[in-house]
């Protein structure tokens, strides 16, 4: 069975100022599996994230989640 991570992700905290990302590519095996994500608002900004980090619900959520307004304000300060 193929490994198919979700195509859309939301970071619980801003990553370089961005919260919404989409899957670009994936690679690795076992504990070294990773995904490369591109920021939705700036596709040239990419992050390589270990699969183990992406599965941590305190860091990432699958899909594009709503961001409370108070979180949006705090990320720009």
């Amino acid at each position: 069975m193929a490994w198919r991570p979700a195509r859309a992700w939301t970071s619980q905290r801003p990553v370089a100022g961005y919260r919404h990302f989409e899957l670009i590519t994936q690679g690795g095996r076992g504990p070294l599996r990773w995904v490369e994500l591109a920021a939705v608002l700036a596709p040239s900004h990419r992050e390589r994230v270990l699969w183990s980090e992406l599965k941590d619900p305190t860091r990432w959520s699958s899909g594009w989640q709503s961001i409370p307004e108070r979180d949006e304000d705090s990320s720009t300060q």
Side-chain angles (χ1 to χ4, degrees):
M1 180 185 246
W3 173 50
R4 292 192 176 123
R7 299 205 45 83
W9 293 89
T10 301
S11 174
Q12 298 301 320
R13 302 219 183 273
V15 176
Y18 305 106
R19 299 276 301 264
H20 294 110
F21 293 82
E22 65 181 324
L23 178 72
I24 299 301
T25 191
Q26 67 219 33
R29 290 180 177 242
L32 298 179
R33 278 189 169 168
W34 53 266
V35 297
E36 186 171 324
L37 303 172
V40 172
L41 295 177
S44 63
H45 178 82
R46 296 190 176 187
E47 296 283 333
R48 186 172 282 194
V49 181
L50 286 174
W51 179 240
S52 58
E53 289 180 30
L54 211 57
K55 292 190 312 182
D56 181 349
T58 66
R59 296 174 123 179
W60 293 91
S61 296
S62 177
W64 293 329
Q65 310 299 319
S66 294
I67 299 169
E69 285 186 39
R70 62 182 171 79
D71 284 353
E72 288 177 3
D73 293 341
S74 65
S75 66
T76 59
Q77 295 179 355

